[in-house]
Amino acid sequence: RQNTTYAATDDGSMVLSPVWSKLTTGVISLTGIPGLFLIGAGLAPKLVPPPFLEQTAKYSDLWSKTLAIPLKPKYFLPFVGSCKIFGILAMWGFFGPVLEVVCSLLYATLCVCAAFTRYKFDESLVSPIFIGSLSLLRLALPK
């Protein structure tokens, strides 16, 4: 039976297997689903459930006030959704190894912003902290 946790190197030492990097990227990839909803909320709001639209409009208003710039949900939401989708694609290596590393840092930054948003609305911080931690952890994992 093959050991999927550790892999042997040329000198016989054991290192973490690359499967862990793929596993963390797979878990992070699940955030693409709400990313698609965010894109839909901005581009075709009639196709998105009203509670989702109301919640994301609150987020857009919060960031408008925080940054002191008017951010219309029809532009802000697809932007954030696109950041999620393209970030996930970059983590899978579609844009090369350099952007794969840069993206992990930017995705963690996105999670910090999400945690700030959730904190302001007294919502659970578990998801953004967990996903942000995975984004940083994958930098230390073998590819």
Side-chain angles (χ1 to χ4, degrees):
R1 186 181 121 163
Q2 185 181 10
N3 186 342
T4 58
T5 305
Y6 292 94
T9 62
D10 291 337
D11 66 0
S13 62
M14 301 296 277
V15 295
L16 277 172
S17 169
V19 74
W20 290 103
S21 178
K22 289 181 178 31
L23 181 64
T24 56
T25 304
V27 171
I28 294 167
S29 295
L30 294 174
T31 64
I33 296 167
L36 292 173
F37 273 101
L38 288 169
I39 293 169
L43 301 179
K46 292 182 181 179
L47 300 177
V48 178
F52 186 82
L53 282 176
E54 293 165 11
Q55 182 180 17
T56 53
K58 289 189 316 187
Y59 295 165
S60 181
D61 289 342
L62 170 68
W63 282 100
S64 286
K65 291 173 187 164
T66 302
L67 298 173
I69 347 175
L71 298 171
K72 294 182 180 177
K74 71 179 187 176
Y75 302 120
F76 177 73
L77 300 177
F79 170 75
V80 174
S82 296
C83 288
K84 286 179 174 250
I85 300 299
F86 284 111
I88 291 165
L89 292 174
M91 281 189 212
W92 283 108
F94 283 96
F95 305 119
V98 173
L99 281 182
E100 184 178 349
V101 171
V102 170
C103 173
S104 290
L105 295 170
L106 292 175
Y107 217 82
T109 304
L110 179 71
C111 290
V112 168
C113 293
F116 169 78
T117 303
R118 287 176 172 234
Y119 170 77
K120 287 297 210 175
F121 289 106
D122 200 28
E123 298 173 358
S124 173
L125 303 176
V126 172
S127 176
I129 290 172
F130 178 69
I131 297 297
S133 299
L134 286 180
S135 297
L136 295 175
L137 171 66
R138 67 182 302 283
L139 291 172
L141 296 172
K143 302 287 182 257

